[in-house]
């Protein structure tokens, strides 16, 4: 890989041991990827504060510097961790103190995370605590080179904002935050961003559930390729786009899709393919839609629902407002719990708007920072849960060994109010 003078200076210890370790990691990483060079980034979204048993053991062994060196820099030497060189945010992590006692989530993990927050904020990390940094102030501009983790955020950044990022890991983001560099390969390279597949919806894609189901089909069909989508698509809301992208990344490994008119570099379908011949469209029709619905509901057996989860990816203000509207003056069924997940920075607005009060008066909870899949925690005793998120319906049954129902937001709220699943594929 071609290194700039500045890269070499950092590699040779010009900015200290931690930066040298970070540059060494990036050089090994870039060489393995056959990247030509490293590119500047001023936008890193990674994970430093997420607690885990492995991290707790490393902190006990040698403190946070040691844990960061091992987990984020792949380095086993004792080094000091300086301030982050470029703007760096912490994505979702574990539940915080305001969720203590609510779940089986260990208090030790909450304390460890508090400790991590104080260590890393001193070094400039912005703790956004959400899988949707683009909802709370981290909005990269078109063509901006980023180093982001979190598949649902990566696909949104590439496809909706037109930024350029691969789906990075804890080590590469850890190294990028100390150097402001990331290998130039994959989604950073314009020629690698054109669509490879065309998927046409022959049924109406209109509303949150339909965008999620369509995304699930697209992801399962193209896997890690780059789809362009067309057909009977109603104008999507930002929540629809969040859900669609997260579902493509869940069922497959899509990091970039082209939705002409929405994806900045694809004002037209022709532009999505870079003017090249388009492939034959893959069709998403009534039968395919029914197959996706059945797959997302394959883990549901008992219609007695004891937990409803909304807000994956973390909810927008419009979604929280909609949920609160559905719960106005209502009361959850005995024995059924409802959690609404949103970014902490939006929780204040929800509080001021009265939505949090409406949700909690009904018996629900508004939670931030994490989610059941991330923290591996649901209300104690949960056997059957319902969600409007294709991603949670896909992952949570395997993570927690519980049954799952997938449907519209309204069907989920109905399940919370009645304790029964009555969803159908209308
Ligand atoms: Fe976010 Fe958790 Fe879903 S981190 S994307 S709410 S699985």
């Amino acid at each position: 890989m071609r290194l700039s003078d500045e890269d070499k200076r950092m590699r040779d210890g010009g900015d200290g041991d931690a930066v040298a370790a970070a540059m060494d990691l990036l050089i090994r990483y870039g060489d393995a990827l056959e990247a030509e060079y490293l590119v500047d980034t001023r936008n890193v979204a990674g994970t430093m504060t997420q607690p885990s048993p492995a991290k707790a053991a490393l902190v006990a062994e040698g403190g946070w510097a040691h844990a960061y060196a091992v987990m984020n820099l792949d380095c086993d030497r004792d080094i000091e961790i300086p301030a982050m060189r470029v703007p760096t945010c912490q994505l979702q992590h574990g539940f915080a103190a305001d969720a203590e006692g609510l779940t089986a989530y260990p208090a030790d993990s909450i304390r460890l995370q508090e400790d991590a927050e104080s260590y890393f904020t001193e070094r400039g990390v912005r703790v956004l605590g959400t899988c949707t940094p683009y909802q709370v102030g981290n909005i990269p501009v078109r063509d901006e080179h980023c180093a982001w983790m979190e598949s649902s955020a990566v696909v949104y950044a590439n496809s909706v904002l037109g930024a350029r990022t691969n789906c990075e890991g804890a080590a590469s983001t850890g190294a990028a935050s100390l150097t402001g560099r990331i290998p130039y390969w994959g989604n950073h390279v314009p020629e690698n961003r054109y669509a490879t597949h065309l998927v046409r919806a022959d049924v109406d894609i209109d509303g949150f559930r339909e965008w999620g189901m369509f995304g699930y089909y697209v992801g399962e069909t193209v896997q890690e390729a780059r789809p362009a989508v067309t057909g009977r698509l109603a104008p999507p809301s930002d929540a629809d786009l969040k859900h669609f992208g997260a579902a493509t990344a869940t069922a497959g490994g899509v990091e970039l899709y082209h939705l002409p008119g929405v994806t900045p570099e694809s004002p037209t379908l022709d532009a999505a393919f870079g003017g090249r011949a388009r492939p034959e469209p893959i069709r998403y029709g009534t039968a395919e839609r029914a197959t996706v619905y059945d797959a997302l509901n394959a883990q549901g057996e008992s219609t007695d629902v004891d937990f409803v989860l909304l807000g994956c990816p973390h909810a927008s203000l419009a979604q929280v407002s909609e949920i609160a509207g559905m719960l106005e003056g209502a009361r959850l069924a005995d024995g059924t719990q409802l959690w609404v997940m949103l970014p902490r920075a939006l929780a204040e607005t929800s509080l001021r708007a009265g939505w949090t009060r409406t949700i909690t008066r009904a018996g629900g909870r508004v939670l931030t920072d994490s989610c059941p899949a991330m923290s591996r925690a649901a209300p104690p005793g949960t056997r059957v849960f319902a969600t409007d998120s294709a991603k949670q319906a896909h992952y949570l049954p395997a993570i927690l060994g519980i049954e799952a129902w997938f449907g519209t937001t309204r069907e989920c709220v109905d399940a919370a109010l009645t304790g029964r699943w009555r969803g159908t594929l209308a």
Side-chain angles (χ1 to χ4, degrees), residues 92 131 150 152 311-314 370-371 373-374 391-392:
Q92 74 276 8
C131 46
E150 170 50 39
S152 69
C312 168
H314 281 178
S370 193
C371 73
M374 204 62 208
K391 182 169 179 175
Q392 288 281 343

Side-chain angles (χ1 to χ4, degrees), residues 253-306:
V254 174
E255 295 178 2
L256 164 62
Y257 63 80
H258 293 263
L259 177 54
V262 169
T263 304
E265 59 222 79
S266 301
T268 63
L269 203 48
D270 276 343
F273 287 94
R276 298 168 200 159
R278 294 180 208 161
E280 277 301 304
I282 300 162
R283 182 175 172 274
Y284 176 74
T286 308
E288 289 77 13
R289 177 172 175 261
T291 302
V292 168
Y293 185 79
D294 289 346
L296 289 170
N297 282 290
Q299 306 300 325
E301 203 169 304
S302 168
T303 54
D304 292 338
V305 172
D306 35 31

Side-chain angles (χ1 to χ4, degrees), residues 77-93:
R77 283 178 292 119
D78 273 343
I79 49 179
E80 283 297 310
I81 305 300
M84 303 294 131
R85 185 184 178 101
V86 293
T88 297
C89 74
Q90 165 68 39
L91 294 161
Q92 74 276 8
H93 49 180

